[in-house]
Amino acid sequence: MPFFAESNRLRVKGGTFIEAENVLNVHHHPSSVDPGFDMLQAASLPQAMYDSSARDPPLCFPGTREEYLHTITSWGKGEWEDSRTRVLWMKGPAGVGKSAIAQTWVEGLEGKHSASFFFSRANHWNDPNKLIPTIAYQLATKYPSYREAVSATIVRDPFVLQKSINTQFRELLVEPLRELSSEDRDASDNVVVIVDGLDECDGLEAQDAIAQVVITSIAEETSPFLWAFFTRPEPNIVASFSSSKAKDLCWDLTLPISRDTDKDIEAYLRDGFRTIRKRYHIPDAVPWPLEEDILRLVEQSAGLFVYGVSAMRFITLGPGLPGPAERLKSLLDLGNYDSQPLSKLDQLYLLIMQQIPKDILQNTLLILTYNELTGSGMNVSTMCILLNFSEATFYALLHNLHSILEVYPSGEHGSRYLRFYHASFTEFLTSLDRSTSEYCIRTQNLFSRVYSACLDLACTPPFLCSPDPTTGATLLGTLLEWRRSKIERTLCSNV
């Protein structure tokens, strides 16, 4: 007798059916498949989330930046009387500590934080197409009704993950948010979404699109969040957050280069020196560092937290000199060649680069050049194959740069990647005026070496090649595009 012989309008979903001796057993298998969520996860960039293990986030030293943290925390917790101010824009030049404030703040917001994205040009986490999916992924892990709605959207139209920022914002955020349950709606109301380093997002048009779509959403009340942006005051970003539409919605907070931060930098340096003394077992009777040395280092920092942090890493980790005392002396010997803070930072970076032995310098610069060209980042093993270095040689070539970068593990297979502590170092390397012809990585010689390596890989038969030869072809395209843009700039400058 067939199953359900006399049944009418019967619906069965899932299950395994076994008929034996007129006994029917139905074994239910709860489905854990969620293809829409899986595609959303694949399209996101977990490295850019505030709690990613791929990041080594800067944090405010305890007891510092308290005025800023207290003020923005009050806003983030909805304690302001003016509920119209729903966008925070903290702006400031490179190195003043914006990312440290953003990271410290998000860790202290607890239940008031819904999603975050930390752009990083130096680490290749700057693809604008990753922003909305990454925010949506984080929201989906917090609000079940949102996850159900956004997953259905992606299943219905998988290409939504490749559409424009405006379309993604509407279809992955605005529309699914309308389907929130009452419980999730209450939980998501006035929570904070944080975007750090918008100026490091790839492409001025994408930066403008992100700012404009958020401002428009706030003006039209299509999303329940507070939005916080931490950026440099680049002209296009200033224009976006200073527009007439943004004027009444945006809180403009400036974090300047200021000597008012000297006490904070001094506190950080003193704590760092205490740690070094313990690490090297320096007896209390040994007067190091001298009081005037600490104050001179604060003076050289000139209000830039990144200088103090980089200097302390150099004193602690910088090879090429006998020990921390000699490294501190080399820093103090830099002198004050220029009143501009970035010039002091450049002098520190030059000092770090000068510790690289001359016989390995070109190969070290080759690694840095290759890494800068790899827009999505490439693991160490692949880099070594393409550049024809053993992994042992690779690590030896970077031995002198531990104060400004590290190699970190990521993923289930133990892949390792380069990570830079601050974007200012890669900006230094790519600027001929700042790094000089000796250390600039945008030179014809270095590009020619990378080009030859990519060409060799692209021409290798697939069955002999690891990694995929398309890697070489892709990088060849990047190099050719760089060459084309360089020619165009040259032609424009001659007009």
Side-chain angles (χ1 to χ4, degrees), residues 2-276:
F3 289 159
F4 316 114
E6 299 179 2
S7 300
N8 183 34
R9 300 183 67 183
L10 177 69
R11 296 180 63 192
V12 178
K13 185 177 182 180
T16 302
F17 304 92
I18 303 172
E19 184 179 26
E21 298 181 356
N22 297 324
V23 177
L24 178 67
N25 297 314
V26 181
H27 301 277
H28 293 287
H29 300 286
S31 175
S32 60
V33 177
D34 188 346
F37 181 75
D38 291 343
M39 285 186 281
L40 178 63
Q41 182 180 27
S44 66
L45 185 66
Q47 297 95 324
M49 300 177 195
Y50 88 97
D51 55 355
S52 169
S53 62
R55 299 178 60 240
D56 183 25
L59 288 169
C60 296
F61 185 72
T64 66
R65 301 302 177 97
E66 290 184 330
E67 180 181 351
Y68 289 104
L69 289 169
H70 174 77
T71 304
I72 62 177
T73 297
S74 175
W75 172 80
K77 291 184 175 180
E79 296 173 354
W80 282 26
E81 293 183 4
D82 185 2
S83 60
R84 295 176 304 167
T85 307
R86 302 186 64 80
V87 179
L88 162 64
W89 174 39
M90 176 176 279
K91 64 181 186 295
V96 294
K98 300 183 296 298
S99 293
I101 290 177
Q103 182 71 31
T104 304
W105 183 47
V106 70
E107 292 187 9
L109 275 174
E110 299 172 346
K112 296 297 292 182
H113 160 255
S114 261
S116 55
F117 195 101
F118 285 73
F119 283 103
S120 173
R121 184 184 301 114
N123 295 307
H124 310 298
W125 305 330
N126 61 338
D127 184 350
N129 298 313
K130 296 291 187 180
L131 174 65
I132 304 302
T134 305
I135 291 174
Y137 170 80
Q138 292 170 85
L139 298 177
T141 64
K142 290 181 170 65
Y143 310 117
S145 59
Y146 173 83
R147 172 172 174 163
E148 183 177 348
V150 77
S151 295
T153 296
I154 296 170
V155 169
R156 185 168 59 249
D157 179 13
F159 288 115
V160 68
L161 295 167
Q162 302 172 30
K163 292 184 177 179
S164 68
I165 289 170
N166 286 344
T167 300
Q168 284 190 6
F169 193 94
R170 182 181 68 252
E171 296 190 19
L172 296 180
L173 293 182
V174 173
E175 296 296 338
L177 286 168
R178 290 174 178 166
E179 300 183 37
L180 288 181
S181 65
S182 57
E183 181 181 359
D184 286 343
R185 190 176 301 279
D186 291 341
S188 64
D189 189 41
N190 286 332
V191 296
V192 181
V193 175
I194 295 171
V195 180
D196 178 66
L198 180 60
D199 53 284
E200 295 192 35
C201 172
D202 188 25
L204 298 182
E205 291 183 1
Q207 296 173 16
D208 296 343
I210 291 167
Q212 291 302 324
V213 76
V214 170
I215 292 168
T216 300
S217 174
I218 295 298
E220 297 176 355
E221 300 182 353
T222 58
S223 64
F225 310 121
L226 302 175
W227 291 80
F229 291 86
F230 296 77
T231 79
R232 299 185 195 183
E234 303 296 346
N236 64 307
I237 295 178
V238 171
S240 293
F241 287 108
S242 303
S243 66
S244 57
K245 183 185 292 186
K247 183 177 180 182
D248 294 330
L249 308 172
C250 182
W251 173 27
D252 177 353
L253 183 61
T254 300
L255 189 65
I257 296 177
S258 171
R259 302 311 297 264
D260 293 340
T261 62
D262 280 3
K263 289 296 181 183
D264 292 347
I265 294 173
E266 181 182 338
Y268 172 81
L269 292 174
R270 289 185 183 279
D271 182 74
F273 281 121
R274 282 193 292 270
T275 301
I276 291 174

